[in-house]
């Protein structure tokens, strides 16, 4: 039996992971599950899966979690520190599916005990790419990408040499406002930004898909994970969301990964890697689909993509600045304090204010320096937002 833990178990990725595990419960020994506000879901899954411990991020809800777990024998814990402690418990395979920078500490803890980390939490790579890759290397841990584009690239690279790679193309659906005018985007509400044409995901990543901040994070994630140069990374708008990524080789070949927009494919690939096993995802009928469309992203509508390349040119802790500013700008948009297009203005302004002090190439990187940068960038973003609002 493989020991598995799932952080962010109550979210969209977490629930898809649990769906796969529940289909073959005798193969897994569940160590830890973590969640946030959805105590009932967390407790129910922890009991059904027979987890050793269930942890909620919210310290004020420990007694509620304890009550929901009843006499099941599942231990209850709460708070950010308890999540990291749970990630220190030995496990073979750990799903990192917390949303935001909060996913970094438990991911690092899991790698430090040599686990295979299935990484959905792209913010870990964006904020601390060098640190997380080195931690995996130094402790015999392994990272398997779960973001669909990165899983697709990873699969296209099986048996290939990175030296033979010319470019990596990740696709974007274009999100909720794919065909909207700039004027309409400027007036878009959080409700409008929260529905995705193809994927069913958590609210924050759905809004980030509409602004392409999600794709910007993924450009940085690609650079950090595959160790290519940022000039080799391209983004292509592909409204059908069936081709997830393409790898271009120096002989001119393009290897595309094609599959249904169902995260259980990428999660299942990471769960069973290096084998492939049957997965309960739809089989594509390409004759029926008929046509696939691609177009270049409009830089005017998606400034986040330009900012991602700037972050990669800056280096150092620029990723942590970018992510933290983006998280605060997203909070402000969701609270109706700034407009949809102003999110990019906030991030750009924070980057320009902090790049002389916090985006130095070759700066030492540790969890402390990343956390400090994250805090400074959040405070700076809040000031910029106040001035805008
Ligand atoms: P979600 O909002 O559905 O779930 C997030 C999970 O994190 C929940 O369990 C929540 O309780 C927990 N959480 C939230 N804030 C927390 C905090 N401060 N501390 C601890 N736990 C906290 O999000 P999601 O869509 O499942 O996305 C999870 C991660 O996976 C994100 O990094 C996202 O970018 C990435 N991802 C998601 C998808 C997708 O299809 N949903 C695809 C690719 C990558
Ligand atoms: Mg993705």
């Amino acid at each position: 039996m493989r020991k598995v833990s799932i952080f962010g178990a109550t979210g969209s990725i977490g629930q898809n992971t649990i769906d796969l595990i529940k289909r073959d419960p005798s193969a897994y020994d569940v160590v830890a599950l973590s969640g946030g506000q959805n105590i009932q879901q967390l407790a129910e899954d922890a009991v059904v899966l027979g987890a050793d411990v269930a942890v909620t991020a919210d310290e004020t809800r420990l007694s509620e979690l304890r009550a929901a777990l009843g006499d099941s024998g599942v231990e209850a814990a709460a708070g950010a520190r308890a999540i990291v402690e749970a990630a220190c418990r030995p496990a073979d395979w750990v799903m990192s599916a917390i949303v935001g920078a909060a996913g970094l500490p438990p991911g690092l803890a899991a790698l430090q005990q040599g686990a295979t980390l299935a990484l959905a939490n792209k913010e870990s790579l964006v904020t601390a790419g060098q640190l997380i890759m080195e931690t995996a290397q130094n402790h015999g841990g392994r990272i398997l990408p779960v973001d669909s584009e990165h899983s697709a690239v990873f699969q296209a690279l099986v048996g290939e040499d990175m030296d033979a790679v010319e470019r990596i193309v990740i696709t974007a659906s274009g999100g909720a406002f794919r065909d909207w005018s700039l004027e309409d985007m400027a007036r878009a509400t959080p409700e409008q930004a929260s529905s995705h044409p193809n994927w069913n995901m958590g609210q924050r990543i759905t809004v980030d898909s509409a602004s392409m901040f999600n794709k910007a994070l993924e450009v940085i994630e690609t650079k950090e994970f595959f160790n290519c140069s940022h000039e080799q990374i391209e983004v292509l708008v592909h409204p059908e969301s069936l081709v997830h990524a393409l790898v271009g080789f120096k002989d001119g070949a393009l290897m595309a990964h094609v599959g249904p927009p169902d995260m259980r494919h990428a999660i299942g690939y990471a769960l069973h890697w290096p084998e492939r096993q049957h997965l309960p995802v739809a089989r594509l009928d390409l004759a029926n689909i008929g046509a696939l469309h691609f177009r270049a992203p409009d830089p005017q509508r998606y400034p986040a993509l330009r900012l991602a390349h700037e972050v990669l040119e800056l280096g150092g802790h620029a990723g942590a600045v970018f992510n933290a500013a983006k998280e605060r700008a997203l909070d402000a948009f969701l609270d109706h304090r700034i407009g949809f297009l102003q999110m990019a203005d906030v991030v750009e302004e924070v980057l320009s204010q902090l790049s002389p002090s916090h985006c130095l190439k070759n700066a030492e990187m540790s969890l402390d320096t990343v956390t400090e940068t994250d805090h400074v960038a959040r405070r700076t973003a809040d000031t910029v937002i106040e001035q805008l609002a």
Side-chain angles (χ1 to χ4, degrees), residues 29-47:
D29 174 6
V30 178
V31 178
L33 297 185
S34 88
Q37 301 305 328
N38 194 343
I39 302 291
Q40 284 311 319
Q41 186 72 57
L42 175 63
E44 187 188 312
D45 287 329
V47 172

Side-chain angles (χ1 to χ4, degrees), residues 107 161 189 197 327:
D161 192 338
T189 64
E327 288 195 26

